[in-house]
Amino acid sequence: MTRRPTTSISTTKAATLASVSPITAVTPNSLQSPNTGDETCVENLLRRLPALAGDEFRFAALTRRPDLVPEHVEPVEVRARFQELRMLIGVPRALGRFGPAIAHFQHSLPPRWRGPMVVTVHDLSFERTATAMGRRDRAIFKVVVPWSVGRARHVIAVSERTKRDLVELYKVPEERITVT
């Protein structure tokens, strides 16, 4: 990926972002992670969506690592020592500065942002298998993921199995889920 200087969003940058065309904000938390399904999903979204959308949309990535954001996506640095604080304070503040047409998240939505949002759910293994992740993360996911799925305008599932789990465990209507 192209390396870029680290910058935080300013009022001027936010105004510029908002003035051109509808923006889709993507939160690539996993860009700094080792190769995982989450990282691969976000990397592909950030690389392919701008090319598919042409000039119709602009894309911004809210991230801790602007240097990892590919070309044609506006990097917006959102710093926080802890992910929970980042989602509670930093992400809603950044989104509020440029008001995207829609914001995309993986697994969880920021509780203090009221704009339109889409959430991608990779799987619900933490609901079915106690050893799928650590106790603390599992407890957080068991609260945050169903709440986020209920709040999202639309849910993206990465498999038919995940869609079935969303319908069965969270009672999400099938028409609110798209399998990619």
Side-chain angles (χ1 to χ4, degrees):
M1 290 189 183
T2 303
R3 299 284 183 209
R4 296 195 198 172
T6 301
T7 57
S8 294
I9 191 164
S10 66
T11 305
T12 304
K13 184 188 255 185
T16 302
L17 279 171
S19 68
V20 178
S21 57
I23 299 172
T24 300
V26 180
T27 57
N29 295 334
S30 60
L31 278 182
Q32 68 244 13
S33 301
N35 287 330
T36 65
D38 292 3
E39 179 186 53
T40 302
C41 176
V42 168
E43 195 170 309
N44 286 330
L45 276 174
L46 292 176
R47 287 182 185 271
R48 295 181 179 165
L49 280 178
L52 292 171
D55 293 334
E56 190 174 343
F57 295 96
R58 292 186 63 204
F59 294 86
L62 280 62
T63 181
R64 292 183 188 106
R65 296 284 309 273
D67 59 309
L68 296 179
V69 175
E71 287 187 61
H72 309 297
V73 176
E74 181 73 33
V76 177
E77 184 174 23
V78 180
R79 296 181 193 174
R81 187 175 298 237
F82 301 104
Q83 175 62 10
E84 294 84 359
L85 288 176
R86 184 174 179 272
M87 289 296 283
L88 185 64
I89 299 167
V91 168
R93 186 176 292 156
L95 290 171
R97 289 189 181 130
F98 65 88
I102 194 156
H104 172 268
F105 297 88
Q106 292 190 86
H107 310 292
S108 65
L109 303 178
R112 297 174 68 186
W113 174 248
R114 299 292 175 232
M117 295 178 281
V118 174
V119 67
T120 293
V121 178
H122 294 268
D123 64 65
L124 296 178
S125 59
F126 62 90
E127 291 284 11
R128 298 191 182 278
T129 309
T131 58
M133 59 179 53
R135 189 181 314 179
R136 178 182 180 275
D137 287 342
R138 186 167 183 251
I140 291 169
F141 268 58
K142 285 176 85 65
V143 171
V144 171
V145 174
W147 178 84
S148 296
V149 165
R151 243 184 106 216
R153 183 171 285 185
H154 198 77
V155 180
I156 299 170
V158 299
S159 68
E160 287 293 334
R161 170 60 192 241
T162 301
K163 179 180 179 176
R164 286 192 306 273
D165 285 348
L166 287 163
V167 171
E168 178 189 333
L169 298 173
Y170 297 166
K171 310 298 184 226
V172 179
E174 288 191 34
E175 61 273 9
R176 285 192 53 233
I177 305 169
T178 298
V179 178
T180 57

